[in-house]
Amino acid sequence: MIAGVVATLLCGEVFAGFNEDLAAAKRGDAEAQFYVGLSYEIGKGVSKDLFQAVYWYRKAAEQGLADAQYYLGGCYYDGEGVSKNLFQAVYWFRKAAEQGDKEAQYNLGVCYKNGEGVSKNLFQAVYWFRKAAEQGHKEAQYYLGVCYKNGWGVSKNLFQAVYWFRKAAEQGLAEAQYNLGVSYKNGFGVSKDLFQAVYWFSKAAEQELAEAQYYLGVCYENGWGVSKDLFQAVYWYRKAAEQGDKDAQCNLGGCYYNGWGVGKDLFLAVYWFRKAAEQGDKDAQYKLGGCYYNGWGVSKNMRTAAEWYYKAALQGLPQAQWNLGVLYVLGNGVGKSYSKAAYWYRKAAEQGFAEAQYCLGLSYKNGWGVRKNITEAKKWFREAAEQGVENAQKELDSL
């Protein structure tokens, strides 16, 4: 009962405040007009009404109030209370940005970065991101770091990228924490430090950023910057996998396949390999092909195996290219074709895959799918032999 009375009194105070603002707004007070608009947008002291919000934002914006200009730009950007119009959004963002409003500066930078309502211009994007970043806007700091990392609108500078990532990371922005972790992991713009990498990955992972959860899993799996712990690796892979991260799904499938940090379960391995494969992960496509080829966790099916090997082969995975070549030689799941086999052997061999080099050497030696050529055969046998393929050395010695 007491709580209800307090709530009623508070509502009365809010409503009284709104009426005072409305009266001032009608007299032309720009700040009051903005607050009336805000009240209508969030439903504070009055029923929510986005059309009225836009009406009052416009009144204040036309008097030069930066906050109102920014909010009006946001309404045009999102199409709330007014028809979506990115050109008008940019117009009002610019008005507020030129008055130093950091939110408007950041949003104007995003518009230039994406070419929304204005021609794409990365130099202008950097200009406005910097304006906002220097005022402590964490998202602008992060995007400025991204621009330095990639050389977008500014000379590539990994030291500056790290500087701005750190600024945003220290304010708790998960994406910046993740990128700072990557910088420490790879030694980009900062001395390589796996302990620091784990620290920042953990910060971002705890905010449910899938990419950070995946990398934290990788660190635990390999003992990078943290004691090796396959149970923790599986924990973080699962977190990321359940958010749809294909790399994590593939690695989680691998954990189930090998029984690392979890009970071995080929059915669950196939489940996670498939999740990643369907998102185009070439390693998962190859592994899923292997499961179908051998009947691991799924009914044996050569045609389906060939289909998954083919998908991975098209993405340049040499293991898949070699396996696909073998299937063409055997006629398993595909029509027998020595020429297609030689084609895929070559693709893998040119990437240094030893088994494919040996098979391509056999193709040239025997004229299987290619014109017989002993010189080429010797070349590929030699390449394979240097990588330790015993039979390749025997073939080379016999020629």
Side-chain angles (χ1 to χ4, degrees):
M1 181 64 71
I2 294 175
V5 171
V6 172
T8 300
L9 291 173
L10 287 174
C11 287
E13 289 175 5
V14 169
F15 191 71
F18 172 78
N19 284 335
E20 291 174 2
D21 285 338
L22 183 59
K26 288 178 177 178
R27 292 194 298 270
D29 185 292
E31 286 193 4
Q33 291 169 340
F34 168 67
Y35 284 119
V36 168
L38 190 59
S39 296
Y40 273 116
E41 181 173 351
I42 65 177
K44 176 186 174 185
V46 68
S47 297
K48 186 172 181 176
D49 188 330
L50 294 176
F51 298 100
Q52 280 292 309
V54 167
Y55 173 82
W56 289 108
Y57 286 153
R58 190 183 307 280
K59 287 281 189 183
E62 288 172 348
Q63 292 197 67
L65 190 70
D67 287 335
Q69 292 168 338
Y70 164 65
Y71 272 81
L72 183 57
C75 290
Y76 274 113
Y77 188 89
D78 296 319
E80 293 184 345
V82 68
S83 297
K84 183 167 184 170
N85 187 322
L86 295 177
F87 299 100
Q88 280 292 304
V90 166
Y91 175 83
W92 290 111
F93 285 153
R94 190 185 306 280
K95 287 280 190 183
E98 288 172 347
Q99 292 194 67
D101 186 286
K102 64 183 180 182
E103 295 290 345
Q105 291 168 340
Y106 165 69
N107 278 272
L108 187 54
V110 170
C111 290
Y112 272 113
K113 172 181 171 289
N114 298 325
E116 296 174 325
V118 69
S119 298
K120 185 172 182 175
N121 187 322
L122 294 176
F123 298 99
Q124 280 291 305
V126 167
Y127 175 82
W128 290 110
F129 285 150
R130 189 184 305 281
K131 287 281 190 184
E134 289 172 348
Q135 293 192 70
H137 193 287
K138 61 185 179 182
E139 286 84 2
Q141 291 170 337
Y142 164 66
Y143 272 111
L144 187 55
V146 171
C147 289
Y148 273 113
K149 179 180 178 180
N150 295 292
W152 293 344
V154 68
S155 298
K156 187 172 181 176
N157 187 322
L158 295 179
F159 299 99
Q160 280 292 304
V162 166
Y163 174 82
W164 289 110
F165 286 152
R166 189 183 307 281
K167 287 280 190 184
E170 289 173 348
Q171 292 197 68
L173 190 67
E175 292 82 0
Q177 293 169 337
Y178 163 70
N179 274 272
L180 188 54
V182 172
S183 299
Y184 274 113
K185 173 182 172 289
N186 297 313
F188 293 160
V190 68
S191 298
K192 186 172 181 175
D193 187 329
L194 293 176
F195 297 99
Q196 280 291 305
V198 167
Y199 174 81
W200 289 110
F201 287 150
S202 297
K203 289 282 188 183
E206 288 165 0
Q207 295 193 65
E208 303 299 327
L209 189 70
E211 299 95 318
Q213 292 171 336
Y214 162 70
Y215 267 108
L216 189 54
V218 171
C219 290
Y220 273 113
E221 181 178 345
N222 294 285
W224 293 344
V226 69
S227 298
K228 185 171 182 175
D229 188 330
L230 294 177
F231 298 100
Q232 279 291 304
V234 167
Y235 174 82
W236 288 110
Y237 285 152
R238 190 184 308 281
K239 284 276 194 181
E242 289 173 348
Q243 292 194 68
D245 187 282
K246 63 182 181 179
D247 293 317
Q249 290 169 340
C250 183
N251 281 21
L252 184 56
C255 290
Y256 275 112
Y257 179 86
N258 294 296
W260 293 341
V262 70
K264 185 168 183 174
D265 189 326
L266 294 178
F267 297 99
L268 280 174
V270 167
Y271 173 83
W272 287 111
F273 287 152
R274 189 184 307 281
K275 286 281 190 184
E278 289 173 348
Q279 291 195 71
D281 187 282
K282 61 186 178 182
D283 292 312
Q285 291 169 340
Y286 166 67
K287 290 172 182 176
L288 188 56
C291 290
Y292 274 107
Y293 183 89
N294 294 288
W296 293 335
V298 70
S299 298
K300 191 170 185 175
N301 189 317
M302 290 297 177
R303 182 182 294 276
T304 305
E307 288 171 356
W308 286 113
Y309 283 150
Y310 180 71
K311 286 180 182 290
L314 285 177
Q315 294 196 68
L317 192 68
Q319 300 95 312
Q321 293 168 337
W322 174 66
N323 275 272
L324 189 57
V326 171
L327 291 183
Y328 274 114
V329 167
L330 301 174
N332 284 342
V334 291
K336 192 168 186 174
S337 173
Y338 284 112
S339 60
K340 289 181 179 178
Y343 172 83
W344 289 112
Y345 288 156
R346 182 182 302 281
K347 287 284 189 182
E350 288 173 348
Q351 294 189 68
F353 195 75
E355 290 84 352
Q357 292 170 338
Y358 170 67
C359 290
L360 187 56
L362 287 177
S363 298
Y364 275 112
K365 175 188 173 184
N366 298 291
W368 294 338
V370 291
R371 187 185 297 276
K372 189 172 182 178
N373 188 322
I374 299 303
T375 300
E376 280 291 297
K378 286 181 177 179
K379 170 190 169 182
W380 291 112
F381 285 144
R382 185 176 295 107
E383 294 274 357
E386 288 173 355
Q387 294 196 65
V389 178
E390 186 177 345
N391 287 337
Q393 187 61 55
K394 291 177 181 179
E395 290 288 349
L396 188 59
D397 291 341
S398 71
L399 293 177

Coordinates of all heavy atoms in Angstrom, one line a residue, residues 39-106:
S39 N 10.4 13.2 -23.3 CA 9.3 12.6 -22.5 C 8.3 11.8 -23.4 O 7.9 10.7 -23.1 CB 8.5 13.7 -21.8 OG 9.3 14.4 -20.9
Y40 N 8.0 12.4 -24.6 CA 7.2 11.6 -25.5 C 7.8 10.4 -26.1 O 7.2 9.4 -26.3 CB 6.7 12.5 -26.7 CG 5.5 13.4 -26.4 CD1 5.6 14.8 -26.4 CD2 4.3 12.7 -26.2 CE1 4.4 15.5 -26.1 CE2 3.1 13.5 -26.0 CZ 3.2 14.9 -25.9 OH 2.1 15.6 -25.7
E41 N 9.2 10.4 -26.3 CA 9.9 9.3 -26.8 C 9.9 8.1 -25.8 O 9.7 7.0 -26.2 CB 11.3 9.7 -27.2 CG 12.0 8.5 -27.8 CD 13.4 8.8 -28.4 OE1 13.7 10.0 -28.5 OE2 14.2 7.9 -28.8
I42 N 10.1 8.4 -24.6 CA 10.3 7.3 -23.6 C 9.0 7.1 -22.8 O 8.9 6.2 -22.0 CB 11.5 7.6 -22.6 CG1 11.2 8.8 -21.8 CG2 12.8 7.7 -23.4 CD1 12.3 9.1 -20.8
G43 N 8.0 8.0 -23.0 CA 6.8 7.8 -22.2 C 6.9 8.2 -20.8 O 6.4 7.5 -19.9
K44 N 7.6 9.3 -20.5 CA 7.8 9.7 -19.2 C 6.8 10.9 -18.8 O 6.9 12.0 -19.4 CB 9.3 10.2 -19.0 CG 9.5 10.9 -17.6 CD 10.9 11.5 -17.6 CE 11.2 12.2 -16.3 NZ 12.5 12.9 -16.3
G45 N 5.9 10.6 -18.0 CA 4.9 11.6 -17.6 C 3.8 11.8 -18.6 O 2.9 12.7 -18.4
V46 N 3.9 11.1 -19.7 CA 2.9 11.2 -20.8 C 2.9 9.9 -21.6 O 3.9 9.2 -21.6 CB 3.3 12.4 -21.7 CG1 4.5 12.2 -22.4 CG2 2.1 12.8 -22.6
S47 N 1.9 9.6 -22.3 CA 1.8 8.4 -23.2 C 2.9 8.6 -24.2 O 3.1 9.6 -24.8 CB 0.5 8.3 -23.8 OG -0.5 8.1 -22.8
K48 N 3.6 7.5 -24.5 CA 4.6 7.4 -25.5 C 4.0 7.8 -26.9 O 3.0 7.2 -27.3 CB 5.3 6.1 -25.6 CG 6.5 5.9 -26.5 CD 7.2 4.6 -26.3 CE 8.4 4.5 -27.2 NZ 9.1 3.2 -27.0
D49 N 4.7 8.7 -27.6 CA 4.2 9.2 -28.9 C 5.4 9.7 -29.7 O 5.9 10.8 -29.5 CB 3.2 10.3 -28.7 CG 2.5 10.7 -30.0 OD1 3.1 10.5 -31.1 OD2 1.3 11.1 -29.9
L50 N 5.9 8.8 -30.6 CA 7.1 9.2 -31.3 C 6.9 10.3 -32.3 O 7.8 11.1 -32.6 CB 7.6 7.9 -32.1 CG 8.1 6.8 -31.1 CD1 8.5 5.6 -32.0 CD2 9.3 7.3 -30.3
F51 N 5.6 10.4 -32.8 CA 5.4 11.5 -33.7 C 5.5 12.9 -33.0 O 6.0 13.9 -33.5 CB 4.0 11.4 -34.4 CG 3.9 10.1 -35.2 CD1 3.3 9.0 -34.7 CD2 4.4 10.1 -36.5 CE1 3.2 7.8 -35.4 CE2 4.3 8.9 -37.2 CZ 3.7 7.8 -36.7
Q52 N 4.9 12.9 -31.8 CA 5.1 14.1 -31.0 C 6.5 14.4 -30.6 O 7.0 15.5 -30.5 CB 4.2 14.0 -29.7 CG 2.7 14.3 -29.9 CD 2.5 15.8 -30.3 OE1 2.9 16.7 -29.6 NE2 1.8 16.0 -31.4
A53 N 7.2 13.3 -30.3 CA 8.6 13.4 -30.0 C 9.4 14.1 -31.1 O 10.1 15.1 -30.9 CB 9.3 12.1 -29.7
V54 N 9.2 13.7 -32.3 CA 9.8 14.3 -33.5 C 9.4 15.8 -33.6 O 10.3 16.6 -33.9 CB 9.5 13.5 -34.8 CG1 9.9 14.3 -36.0 CG2 10.2 12.1 -34.7
Y55 N 8.1 16.0 -33.4 CA 7.6 17.4 -33.5 C 8.4 18.3 -32.6 O 8.9 19.4 -33.0 CB 6.2 17.4 -33.2 CG 5.6 18.8 -33.1 CD1 5.2 19.5 -34.3 CD2 5.4 19.5 -31.9 CE1 4.6 20.8 -34.2 CE2 4.9 20.8 -31.8 CZ 4.5 21.4 -33.0 OH 4.0 22.7 -32.9
W56 N 8.6 17.9 -31.3 CA 9.3 18.8 -30.4 C 10.8 18.8 -30.6 O 11.4 19.9 -30.4 CB 8.9 18.4 -29.0 CG 7.4 18.8 -28.7 CD1 6.4 18.0 -28.5 CD2 6.9 20.1 -28.5 NE1 5.2 18.7 -28.3 CE2 5.5 20.0 -28.3 CE3 7.5 21.4 -28.6 CZ2 4.7 21.2 -28.1 CZ3 6.7 22.5 -28.4 CH2 5.3 22.4 -28.1
Y57 N 11.3 17.7 -31.0 CA 12.8 17.7 -31.3 C 13.1 18.7 -32.4 O 14.1 19.4 -32.4 CB 13.2 16.3 -31.7 CG 13.4 15.2 -30.6 CD1 13.2 13.9 -30.9 CD2 13.6 15.6 -29.3 CE1 13.3 12.9 -29.9 CE2 13.8 14.7 -28.3 CZ 13.6 13.3 -28.6 OH 13.7 12.4 -27.6
R58 N 12.2 18.7 -33.4 CA 12.4 19.6 -34.5 C 12.4 21.0 -34.1 O 13.2 21.9 -34.5 CB 11.4 19.3 -35.6 CG 11.7 20.0 -36.9 CD 10.6 19.8 -38.0 NE 10.3 18.4 -38.2 CZ 11.1 17.6 -38.9 NH1 12.1 18.1 -39.5 NH2 10.7 16.4 -39.1
K59 N 11.4 21.3 -33.2 CA 11.3 22.7 -32.7 C 12.6 23.1 -32.1 O 13.1 24.3 -32.3 CB 10.1 22.8 -31.7 CG 8.7 22.7 -32.3 CD 8.3 24.0 -32.9 CE 6.8 24.0 -33.2 NZ 6.4 25.3 -33.9
A60 N 13.1 22.3 -31.2 CA 14.4 22.6 -30.5 C 15.6 22.6 -31.5 O 16.5 23.5 -31.4 CB 14.6 21.7 -29.4
A61 N 15.6 21.7 -32.4 CA 16.7 21.5 -33.3 C 16.8 22.8 -34.2 O 17.9 23.3 -34.5 CB 16.5 20.3 -34.2
E62 N 15.7 23.3 -34.6 CA 15.7 24.5 -35.5 C 16.1 25.7 -34.8 O 16.5 26.7 -35.4 CB 14.3 24.6 -36.1 CG 13.9 23.6 -37.1 CD 12.5 23.6 -37.6 OE1 11.7 24.3 -37.0 OE2 12.2 22.9 -38.6
Q63 N 16.1 25.6 -33.4 CA 16.7 26.7 -32.6 C 18.2 26.5 -32.3 O 18.8 27.3 -31.6 CB 15.9 26.9 -31.3 CG 14.5 27.4 -31.5 CD 13.9 27.9 -30.2 OE1 14.4 28.9 -29.7 NE2 12.9 27.2 -29.7
G64 N 18.7 25.4 -32.9 CA 20.2 25.2 -32.7 C 20.6 24.4 -31.5 O 21.8 24.3 -31.2
L65 N 19.7 23.7 -30.8 CA 20.0 22.9 -29.7 C 20.6 21.6 -30.1 O 20.0 20.8 -30.8 CB 18.8 22.6 -28.8 CG 19.1 22.0 -27.4 CD1 19.8 23.0 -26.5 CD2 17.8 21.5 -26.8
A66 N 21.9 21.3 -29.8 CA 22.7 20.2 -30.3 C 22.0 18.9 -29.9 O 21.9 17.9 -30.7 CB 24.1 20.2 -29.8
D67 N 21.6 18.7 -28.6 CA 21.0 17.5 -28.2 C 19.7 17.1 -29.1 O 19.5 16.0 -29.4 CB 20.5 17.6 -26.7 CG 21.7 17.5 -25.8 OD1 22.8 17.0 -26.2 OD2 21.6 18.1 -24.7
A68 N 18.9 18.1 -29.3 CA 17.7 17.9 -30.1 C 18.1 17.6 -31.6 O 17.5 16.7 -32.2 CB 16.9 19.2 -30.1
Q69 N 19.1 18.2 -32.1 CA 19.6 17.9 -33.5 C 20.0 16.4 -33.6 O 19.7 15.7 -34.5 CB 20.7 18.9 -33.9 CG 20.2 20.3 -34.0 CD 21.4 21.3 -34.1 OE1 22.5 21.0 -33.7 NE2 21.1 22.5 -34.7
Y70 N 20.8 16.0 -32.5 CA 21.2 14.6 -32.5 C 20.1 13.6 -32.4 O 20.0 12.7 -33.2 CB 22.2 14.4 -31.4 CG 22.4 13.0 -31.0 CD1 23.1 12.1 -31.9 CD2 22.0 12.4 -29.8 CE1 23.3 10.8 -31.7 CE2 22.1 11.1 -29.6 CZ 22.8 10.2 -30.5 OH 22.9 8.9 -30.2
Y71 N 19.1 13.9 -31.5 CA 18.0 13.0 -31.4 C 17.1 13.0 -32.6 O 16.6 12.0 -33.0 CB 17.2 13.4 -30.2 CG 17.7 12.7 -28.9 CD1 18.8 13.2 -28.2 CD2 17.1 11.6 -28.4 CE1 19.2 12.6 -27.0 CE2 17.5 11.0 -27.2 CZ 18.6 11.5 -26.6 OH 19.0 10.9 -25.4
L72 N 17.0 14.2 -33.3 CA 16.2 14.2 -34.5 C 16.8 13.4 -35.6 O 16.2 12.7 -36.3 CB 16.0 15.7 -34.9 CG 15.1 15.9 -36.1 CD1 13.7 15.3 -36.0 CD2 15.0 17.4 -36.4
G73 N 18.2 13.5 -35.7 CA 18.9 12.7 -36.6 C 18.7 11.3 -36.4 O 18.5 10.5 -37.3
G74 N 18.7 10.9 -35.1 CA 18.5 9.5 -34.7 C 17.1 9.0 -35.2 O 17.0 7.8 -35.6
C75 N 16.1 9.8 -35.0 CA 14.7 9.5 -35.5 C 14.7 9.2 -37.0 O 14.1 8.3 -37.4 CB 13.8 10.6 -35.1 SG 13.5 10.7 -33.3
Y76 N 15.3 10.1 -37.7 CA 15.4 9.9 -39.2 C 16.2 8.7 -39.5 O 15.9 8.0 -40.5 CB 16.0 11.1 -39.9 CG 15.0 12.2 -40.2 CD1 15.1 13.5 -39.5 CD2 14.0 12.0 -41.1 CE1 14.1 14.5 -39.8 CE2 13.1 13.0 -41.4 CZ 13.2 14.2 -40.7 OH 12.2 15.2 -41.0
Y77 N 17.3 8.4 -38.8 CA 18.1 7.2 -39.1 C 17.4 5.9 -38.9 O 17.5 5.0 -39.7 CB 19.4 7.3 -38.2 CG 20.4 6.2 -38.5 CD1 21.4 6.5 -39.4 CD2 20.4 5.0 -37.9 CE1 22.4 5.5 -39.8 CE2 21.3 4.0 -38.2 CZ 22.3 4.3 -39.1 OH 23.3 3.3 -39.5
D78 N 16.6 5.9 -37.8 CA 15.9 4.6 -37.4 C 14.5 4.6 -38.0 O 13.8 3.5 -37.9 CB 15.8 4.5 -35.9 CG 17.2 4.3 -35.3 OD1 18.0 3.6 -35.9 OD2 17.4 4.9 -34.2
G79 N 14.0 5.7 -38.5 CA 12.6 5.7 -39.0 C 11.6 5.7 -37.8 O 10.6 5.0 -37.9
E80 N 11.9 6.4 -36.8 CA 11.0 6.4 -35.6 C 10.3 7.7 -35.5 O 10.9 8.8 -35.3 CB 11.8 6.1 -34.3 CG 12.3 4.7 -34.3 CD 13.0 4.4 -32.9 OE1 13.3 5.4 -32.2 OE2 13.3 3.2 -32.7
G81 N 8.9 7.7 -35.7 CA 8.1 8.9 -35.6 C 8.2 9.7 -36.8 O 7.6 10.8 -36.9
V82 N 8.9 9.2 -37.8 CA 9.1 9.9 -39.1 C 9.6 8.9 -40.1 O 10.1 7.9 -39.7 CB 10.1 11.1 -38.9 CG1 11.5 10.5 -38.7 CG2 10.1 12.0 -40.1
S83 N 9.3 9.1 -41.4 CA 9.8 8.2 -42.4 C 11.3 8.2 -42.4 O 12.0 9.2 -42.3 CB 9.3 8.6 -43.8 OG 7.9 8.6 -43.9
K84 N 11.9 7.0 -42.5 CA 13.3 6.8 -42.5 C 13.9 7.6 -43.6 O 13.5 7.6 -44.8 CB 13.7 5.4 -42.6 CG 15.2 5.1 -42.5 CD 15.5 3.6 -42.3 CE 17.0 3.4 -42.2 NZ 17.4 2.1 -41.8
N85 N 14.9 8.4 -43.3 CA 15.6 9.3 -44.3 C 17.0 9.5 -43.9 O 17.3 10.4 -43.0 CB 14.8 10.6 -44.4 CG 15.3 11.5 -45.6 OD1 16.5 11.5 -45.9 ND2 14.4 12.2 -46.3
L86 N 17.9 8.8 -44.5 CA 19.3 8.9 -44.1 C 20.0 10.2 -44.4 O 20.9 10.6 -43.8 CB 20.1 7.7 -44.7 CG 19.7 6.3 -44.2 CD1 20.5 5.2 -45.0 CD2 19.9 6.2 -42.7
F87 N 19.5 10.8 -45.5 CA 20.0 12.2 -45.9 C 19.7 13.2 -44.8 O 20.5 14.0 -44.4 CB 19.5 12.6 -47.2 CG 19.8 11.7 -48.3 CD1 18.9 10.7 -48.8 CD2 21.1 11.7 -48.9 CE1 19.3 9.9 -49.8 CE2 21.4 10.8 -49.9 CZ 20.5 9.9 -50.4
Q88 N 18.4 13.1 -44.3 CA 18.0 14.0 -43.2 C 18.8 13.7 -41.9 O 19.1 14.5 -41.1 CB 16.5 13.9 -43.0 CG 15.7 14.7 -43.9 CD 15.9 16.3 -43.7 OE1 15.7 16.8 -42.6 NE2 16.3 16.9 -44.8
A89 N 19.0 12.4 -41.7 CA 19.7 11.9 -40.5 C 21.1 12.6 -40.5 O 21.6 13.1 -39.5 CB 19.8 10.4 -40.5
V90 N 21.8 12.5 -41.6 CA 23.1 13.1 -41.8 C 23.1 14.6 -41.6 O 24.0 15.1 -40.9 CB 23.8 12.7 -43.1 CG1 25.0 13.5 -43.4 CG2 24.1 11.2 -43.2
Y91 N 22.1 15.2 -42.1 CA 21.9 16.7 -42.0 C 21.9 17.1 -40.5 O 22.7 18.0 -40.1 CB 20.7 17.1 -42.7 CG 20.4 18.6 -42.5 CD1 21.0 19.5 -43.3 CD2 19.5 19.0 -41.5 CE1 20.7 20.9 -43.2 CE2 19.2 20.4 -41.3 CZ 19.8 21.3 -42.2 OH 19.5 22.6 -42.0
W92 N 21.1 16.4 -39.8 CA 21.0 16.8 -38.3 C 22.1 16.3 -37.5 O 22.6 17.0 -36.6 CB 19.6 16.3 -37.8 CG 18.5 17.0 -38.4 CD1 17.5 16.6 -39.2 CD2 18.2 18.4 -38.1 NE1 16.7 17.6 -39.6 CE2 17.0 18.7 -38.9 CE3 18.7 19.4 -37.4 CZ2 16.4 20.0 -38.9 CZ3 18.2 20.7 -37.4 CH2 17.0 21.0 -38.1
F93 N 22.7 15.1 -37.8 CA 23.9 14.7 -37.1 C 25.0 15.7 -37.3 O 25.7 16.1 -36.4 CB 24.4 13.3 -37.6 CG 23.6 12.2 -37.2 CD1 23.5 11.0 -37.9 CD2 22.9 12.2 -36.0 CE1 22.8 9.9 -37.5 CE2 22.1 11.1 -35.5 CZ 22.1 9.9 -36.3
R94 N 25.1 16.2 -38.5 CA 26.2 17.2 -38.8 C 26.0 18.5 -38.0 O 27.0 19.0 -37.5 CB 26.3 17.5 -40.3 CG 27.5 18.3 -40.7 CD 27.5 18.7 -42.2 NE 27.3 17.5 -43.0 CZ 28.2 16.7 -43.4 NH1 29.5 16.9 -42.9 NH2 28.0 15.7 -44.2
K95 N 24.8 18.9 -38.0 CA 24.4 20.1 -37.2 C 24.9 20.0 -35.7 O 25.6 20.9 -35.2 CB 22.9 20.4 -37.2 CG 22.4 20.9 -38.5 CD 22.7 22.4 -38.7 CE 21.9 22.9 -39.9 NZ 22.3 24.4 -40.2
A96 N 24.6 18.9 -35.1 CA 25.0 18.6 -33.8 C 26.5 18.4 -33.6 O 27.2 18.9 -32.7 CB 24.2 17.5 -33.2
A97 N 27.1 17.7 -34.6 CA 28.5 17.3 -34.5 C 29.3 18.6 -34.6 O 30.4 18.7 -33.9 CB 28.8 16.4 -35.7
E98 N 28.9 19.5 -35.4 CA 29.7 20.8 -35.6 C 29.7 21.6 -34.3 O 30.5 22.5 -34.2 CB 29.2 21.5 -36.8 CG 29.5 20.9 -38.1 CD 28.9 21.5 -39.3 OE1 28.0 22.3 -39.1 OE2 29.3 21.2 -40.5
Q99 N 28.7 21.3 -33.4 CA 28.6 22.0 -32.1 C 29.4 21.2 -31.1 O 29.4 21.6 -29.9 CB 27.2 22.2 -31.7 CG 26.4 23.1 -32.6 CD 25.1 23.5 -31.9 OE1 25.1 24.2 -30.9 NE2 24.0 23.1 -32.5
G100 N 30.0 20.1 -31.5 CA 30.8 19.3 -30.5 C 30.2 18.2 -29.9 O 30.7 17.6 -28.9
D101 N 28.9 17.8 -30.3 CA 28.2 16.7 -29.7 C 28.9 15.4 -30.1 O 28.9 15.0 -31.2 CB 26.8 16.7 -30.1 CG 25.9 15.6 -29.4 OD1 26.1 14.4 -29.7 OD2 25.2 16.0 -28.5
K102 N 29.5 14.7 -29.1 CA 30.3 13.5 -29.4 C 29.4 12.3 -30.0 O 29.9 11.6 -30.8 CB 31.1 13.0 -28.2 CG 30.3 12.5 -27.0 CD 31.2 12.2 -25.8 CE 30.4 11.7 -24.6 NZ 31.2 11.4 -23.5
E103 N 28.2 12.2 -29.5 CA 27.4 11.1 -30.0 C 27.1 11.4 -31.5 O 27.1 10.5 -32.3 CB 26.0 11.1 -29.2 CG 26.2 10.6 -27.8 CD 26.6 9.2 -27.6 OE1 26.5 8.4 -28.6 OE2 27.1 8.8 -26.5
A104 N 26.8 12.6 -31.8 CA 26.5 13.0 -33.2 C 27.8 12.8 -34.1 O 27.7 12.4 -35.2 CB 26.0 14.4 -33.3
Q105 N 28.9 13.2 -33.5 CA 30.2 13.0 -34.3 C 30.4 11.5 -34.6 O 30.8 11.2 -35.7 CB 31.3 13.6 -33.4 CG 31.3 15.1 -33.3 CD 32.3 15.6 -32.3 OE1 32.7 14.9 -31.4 NE2 32.6 16.9 -32.3
Y106 N 30.2 10.7 -33.6 CA 30.3 9.3 -33.8 C 29.4 8.8 -34.9 O 29.8 8.0 -35.8 CB 30.1 8.5 -32.5 CG 29.9 7.0 -32.7 CD1 30.9 6.2 -33.1 CD2 28.6 6.4 -32.5 CE1 30.7 4.8 -33.3 CE2 28.4 5.1 -32.7 CZ 29.5 4.3 -33.1 OH 29.3 2.9 -33.3

